[in-house]
Structures are given as C-alpha cells and as structure tokens.
Amino acid sequence: MEQKAFKRPFVHLFYIFFLSHLVFCQLDYRFYDSTCPSLTGIVRYGVWSAIANDTRMAASLVRLHFHDCFVNGCDASILLDDIDSTFVGEKTARANQNSVRGYEVIDKIKANVEKACPSTVSCTDILTLAAREAANIAGASYWMVPLGRRDGRTANKTAANELPSPFESLDNIIAKFNAKGLDTKDVVVLSGAHTIGFAQCFTFKQRLFNFGGSRKPDPDLEASLLKGLQTVCPDQVDSDTTLVPLDSVTTNRFDNSYYRNLVNSSGLLQSDHVLSTDNRTASMVLSYSRYPYLFLKDFGASMVKMANIGVLMGQDGEIRENCKVVN
C-alpha cells in the first residue's frame, strides 16, 4: 500500500508535465490573449488600410500566405531578403519575382505590432492573420486562426521554384498538395481564392492562340470571353504582363462566382478550367457553384489546414524583430 501511495503522486506529476508539454507545443486560439491582446485589431487595421489603398492587395495577401506555407511550411521564409551572397531568400524565385506582392504591408503591420508588443508575435502569425483578414474584408466568412507559430531562420529558393503552377497538370498539382498533407478537396477549395485577384496574360495566353500546340484557341473557352481576352492580351510579347481579373464577374468580391465561371467554361487559367472537367473534381466545382455558403465554410477550414503545414513551435525557430532578416 505504501509503495502504491508513493507511486501515484509521481504518476500524476508525470502526466501533468507530459500534458502541459503537449499544450505548450500546440497552436492555440488564445495564444496572445495575455501577451498581445491588441494583435488582431492591429493586423485588421493594417490590412484594411492596405486594401482601401489598393483593392488588389486582398488577393495578394492570401497568395503571399499560400506561397509561404508551400515552401518548408508556414514560417515566414518568403519575407526574408537576400543578403549579398551570404543568404538567398525566396523573393526572386520564379513563382514570386515580379508577381508576389504585399511584403511591405506585412512589414508595416509588424512594426506596429512591435510597438505594442515587443519581441512577442511572429511574422508568420501576422501573415496568417493578415490572409484571414484580407479574405474576410473581401467577403469571405470569418474563421478562427490558432496561433503560436515561430519564424524560420532559413529560406529555400529551390523549393519556391517548385510551387504549384498554372501550367502544370492537375495530377502534378494534386501531388504537390498531397505532399503537404492536403487533399484533392483542398485543391478545389483553395483554388477558389481565384475569385479575387488578377493574372498576367502570359499565364493563360496559350489558351487564346496556341492551345496544346494546335495554333488554335482552346475550344473549351467560352466564345465571348475568348474574343475579349484576345483583345486585351494580343499574341505579342509586350502584352505578357498585362493584368486580367481571374473573375471578371465580381472581381473584388470573395464569393463563389469563380466556380460558376468554371461551370460556364469561363475559367481563366487552364489549371482552373480542368477542375470542372476532371472526374475527381468536377462534382465539387458544381456543388460550390450552387452553394456559396458551403464554399465559404470549406474555404476557412482548408485555410486552417494549410496554415498548419510544417509550423515551428515551442523552442524551434525564433520571433523575428524584423520580418526581412533573421535575428
């Protein structure tokens, strides 16, 4: 009896320590409640101000978050600058250079957060919140974001060069999502972010003039849309960087119009269009085109999944004071 009485407190202490370690190492919706209670308000105001100045910024911030999480996890590595020959960041990777935007918005928000809560909030948590706020301001449903991520100390330009591309097959895109712990449904749902934002002409011009090497337009592309796009994006190099809305119906509104466009053969990118024709994804596209609230609910859930990719917690990584450089 004495031995059992002696062991029980030890066992209880062990479980308390073990469980507290698990809690410490998990993301938490209330992670900054006591250390930085003004965080959400600071981020939301910063994002709102940026979008008020440039409506494209809503889509840019969501995309910035996606491009960060798909390279070594959500660790704000995409925000790091190159430093001479000693450090190579991801900003000049093929998918990011002259394309990804919003760095200065995150830098400004971070500076304001540092004034309120010095050395407390990671750049990656700020970016995660900023993406949520941007989508919500544009019309998406509000979803809860668990926090407690820490910033990475490295970047990976090679991996950034392998981000999912509008020129890739659906098989390749699904495989890249699967490698990050996301599934085919997440491919369809997160592609719905294309309900806002713009694409450069070169990302879809082959559909207008030389689809599949045929020297003819994509026969699946709706006729009036094709004619309009051929005018905006003529078959010449100087139109390659011209911007065209991904959703011409409700360009700045986060809704399910993207899926209605796909059903009507009016998707802009080939990688989007194929979602409406492939047996693995077509039924989901049709469902989201009919039920906007289902899409908005699922979008929040998939964003939370994506924001959990490869996160650093506990004593891993760091809390950068400046998002552009490691401490």
Side-chain angles (χ1 to χ4, degrees), residues 13 17 60 98 100 115 119 121 136 140-141 144 147 177 185-186 200 211 250 254 266 268 288 291 327:
L13 286 172
F17 173 79
S60 296
N98 300 320
V100 170
K115 291 176 184 177
S119 303
V121 182
N136 180 241
S141 299
M144 296 296 292
L147 301 168
F177 271 66
K185 178 181 178 180
D186 295 313
Q200 298 181 56
F211 182 67
T250 57
F254 201 104
S266 298
L268 194 62
Y288 291 137
Y291 305 108
N327 292 341

Side-chain angles (χ1 to χ4, degrees), residues 165-170 173 187-196 198-199 203-204 206-207 218 245-247 258-259 261-263 265-278 281-282 285:
S165 159
F167 305 109
E168 288 188 274
S169 68
L170 182 57
I173 292 173
V187 173
V188 178
V189 173
L190 292 175
S191 294
H194 289 169
T195 187
I196 54 176
F198 290 72
T203 61
F204 59 86
Q206 76 282 357
R207 299 189 71 197
D218 183 350
L246 286 159
D247 172 9
Y258 162 83
Y259 297 102
N261 292 340
L262 295 187
V263 170
S265 299
S266 298
L268 194 62
L269 305 177
Q270 175 62 19
S271 57
D272 286 338
H273 170 68
V274 72
L275 296 177
S276 66
T277 61
D278 191 281
T281 55
V285 169

Side-chain angles (χ1 to χ4, degrees), residues 229-241:
L229 290 173
Q230 287 176 329
T231 301
V232 176
C233 303
D235 193 14
Q236 52 199 48
V237 175
D238 61 4
S239 72
D240 281 357
T241 57

Side-chain angles (χ1 to χ4, degrees), residues 290-303:
R290 293 174 174 173
Y291 305 108
Y293 293 108
L294 176 63
F295 161 58
L296 295 177
K297 176 183 72 69
D298 287 352
F299 184 79
S302 287
M303 286 292 283

Side-chain angles (χ1 to χ4, degrees), residues 1-9:
M1 288 293 291
E2 289 181 4
Q3 287 182 333
K4 291 181 180 179
F6 175 77
K7 288 181 179 179
R8 192 177 295 116

Side-chain angles (χ1 to χ4, degrees), residues 43-253:
V43 174
R44 187 168 183 82
Y45 179 76
V47 172
W48 177 85
S49 298
I51 294 173
N53 184 58
D54 176 5
T55 54
R56 286 177 57 205
M57 193 53 66
S60 296
L61 290 172
V62 174
R63 186 166 181 247
L64 183 62
H65 181 41
F66 176 89
H67 280 223
D68 179 46
C69 291
F70 262 69
V71 179
N72 292 356
C74 306
D75 63 352
S77 59
I78 195 171
L79 304 178
L80 292 169
D81 281 346
D82 289 358
I83 303 176
D84 300 323
S85 60
T86 62
F87 187 92
V88 178
E90 298 164 13
K91 292 182 178 180
T92 56
R94 286 191 300 268
N96 297 335
Q97 192 169 27
N98 300 320
S99 177
V100 170
R101 307 164 69 240
Y103 301 113
E104 72 287 351
V105 176
I106 302 301
D107 290 338
K108 185 175 181 179
I109 293 172
K110 173 63 172 176
N112 289 331
V113 170
E114 283 296 308
K115 291 176 184 177
C117 321
S119 303
T120 302
V121 182
S122 66
C123 297
T124 183
D125 271 346
I126 290 173
L127 178 53
T128 303
L129 286 171
R132 189 270 307 275
E133 297 301 328
N136 180 241
I137 289 170
S141 299
Y142 190 89
W143 65 87
M144 296 296 292
V145 175
L147 301 168
R149 299 164 191 79
R150 289 169 67 84
D151 299 320
R153 296 189 176 98
T154 62
N156 191 336
K157 183 177 178 179
T158 300
N161 281 328
E162 299 302 322
L163 281 160
S165 159
F167 305 109
E168 288 188 274
S169 68
L170 182 57
D171 284 341
N172 284 356
I173 292 173
I174 289 174
K176 289 183 177 182
F177 271 66
N178 289 165
K180 301 299 180 182
L182 303 177
D183 56 26
T184 303
K185 178 181 178 180
D186 295 313
V187 173
V188 178
V189 173
L190 292 175
S191 294
H194 289 169
T195 187
I196 54 176
F198 290 72
Q200 298 181 56
C201 287
F202 81 89
T203 61
F204 59 86
K205 193 181 286 187
Q206 76 282 357
R207 299 189 71 197
L208 311 182
F209 303 101
N210 189 27
F211 182 67
S214 66
R215 297 189 179 183
K216 296 179 181 180
D218 183 350
D220 286 347
L221 194 57
E222 196 274 327
S224 62
L225 176 63
L226 171 63
K227 185 176 180 180
L229 290 173
Q230 287 176 329
T231 301
V232 176
C233 303
D235 193 14
Q236 52 199 48
V237 175
D238 61 4
S239 72
D240 281 357
T241 57
T242 299
L243 294 173
V244 177
L246 286 159
D247 172 9
S248 60
V249 179
T250 57
T251 302
N252 298 316
R253 179 70 181 173

